[in-house]
Structure formats: C-alpha cells, structure tokens
Amino acid sequence: MSRSINLIVIHCAATPNGKALYKGGTRTAAATIDVWHSQRGFRRDTVAREAFNPQLYALGYHHVIDCDGRQETGRAHSEIGAHVAGHNANSVGVCMVGTDKFTQRQWEALHSQVRSLQARYPAARIVGHRDLSPDKNGDGTIQPSEWTKTCPGFNVADWLAGGLQPLKSHLIEAAA
Ligand SMILES: [Zn+2]
C-alpha cells in the first residue's frame, strides 16, 4: 500500500521542556505517547500495526524525537497518521518531546529526520502543526491569532530559513 505524501508536519508533545519521556527498557517516548493517544481514543489499523511496530496500538505520529535525541518510529509511512485534522491522508507527522524549547540533540535529530524525509519526499512542504490552522480571514497566511493550537511551539519557516539550525530562543542545554 502506498499513499501520496506532500506534507511533513512537525509537532510537539506538549510535555515539560527538556524532560525526556524515556523511562527505561521498552518504556520509550513513543510507548508513552501511545498510551496517551490510546486514552484519547486513537486506534491503529490492526493489519498495519501487526506489520510495523506492533507494540504501538494507538500512536498517531510517524516519528518521535525524545529530549536526548533518540529517534523512534511510530506508524509506518504507508499508514495514515492521526496528528493533524484535515491533513492526515497526505502527511507524515514528526513529534518533538517538549513544548517550545528543545535540546541541542533534539534539534540535531530533527534536522537529520527532516533531511531524510525531504530526500524521500522531495516535493513535500514542511510545516508546523499550527501552520495548518484554518485561514479564518482568508488572507492566505496563518497568523498567530488564527492558530488553533501553538504546536510545535516554534516557527518552522524560520527554522527552515535558518538552514535547520537550532532556534536560539527555543534551545535548552540538557535533558532533565
Ligand atoms: Zn501538533
């Protein structure tokens, strides 16, 4: 099964900045968010789950990046995610643990993750979740007043314009 992917959507987990979700063993960030998504009623397709990361029953994202820079996969790219209203069918979702400040290792991991997604989907637009909020006044740009949520907590366009380097005002030193 393949689908057409033309959007790469960056998210944050809305968890404390710099606090890794990894709790040892199999209790990874992806496994932790999987429980939360399960509680919210998300559910992966059984066949897709059995084929890829069968331990994750609900997780809506395709990639998760914890505070120590650990990169995990969630859903397969061939599987429609559950991370952005109205755009799941044609997108891949990447989630950064934290809310609006991230560690150097996380920024580096996001850089390499997005570069690899760009190589795979050269035509895809890279945006933050909030950039896909409805354009209420129809002027063609999504202003802060139109954000349905603030996720991923930083301006993805600024980050892209800066060559995928950490945004200083959104950088923290080390994971707690
Ligand atoms: Zn989001």
Side-chain angles (χ1 to χ4, degrees):
M1 182 177 80
S2 71
R3 64 192 176 103
S4 170
I5 290 167
N6 57 23
L7 263 184
I8 295 163
V9 186
I10 301 173
H11 297 267
C12 66
T15 55
N17 288 326
K19 191 171 184 344
L21 288 181
Y22 177 67
K23 299 285 193 302
T26 59
R27 297 163 68 204
T28 66
T32 299
I33 298 170
D34 185 58
V35 172
W36 298 340
H37 282 186
S38 186
Q39 289 163 349
R40 286 169 58 183
F42 295 10
R43 198 80 185 160
R44 292 178 65 198
D45 171 77
T46 302
V47 172
R49 182 183 62 76
E50 285 172 354
F52 191 76
N53 285 335
Q55 77 283 7
L56 300 172
Y57 284 81
L59 184 66
Y61 306 118
H62 298 87
H63 297 277
V64 175
I65 301 174
D66 207 350
C67 295
D68 60 357
R70 173 194 286 246
Q71 299 181 58
E72 295 177 80
T73 54
R75 297 195 185 197
H77 285 196
S78 56
E79 188 180 351
I80 293 177
H83 57 95
V84 53
H87 299 276
N88 283 311
N90 57 320
S91 67
V92 165
V94 179
C95 178
M96 297 271 272
V97 171
T99 295
D100 58 6
K101 287 183 190 286
F102 309 98
T103 67
Q104 178 71 29
R105 285 182 174 175
Q106 264 182 306
W107 282 113
E108 287 168 5
L110 183 65
H111 181 136
S112 81
Q113 183 66 73
V114 166
R115 284 289 187 232
S116 122
L117 291 170
Q118 279 182 309
R120 192 161 166 187
Y121 309 108
R125 258 174 80 213
I126 301 157
V127 298
H129 188 179
R130 69 191 188 187
D131 302 318
L132 296 170
S133 303
D135 182 14
K136 290 183 198 136
N137 65 8
D139 72 350
T141 59
I142 307 302
Q143 278 109 7
S145 61
E146 293 173 320
W147 292 344
T148 314
K149 40 171 64 186
T150 58
C151 173
F154 68 96
N155 188 321
V156 170
D158 286 350
W159 177 68
L160 293 171
L164 284 62
Q165 297 307 303
L167 291 173
K168 291 267 186 292
S169 54
H170 297 277
L171 173 66
I172 46 177
E173 283 311 313

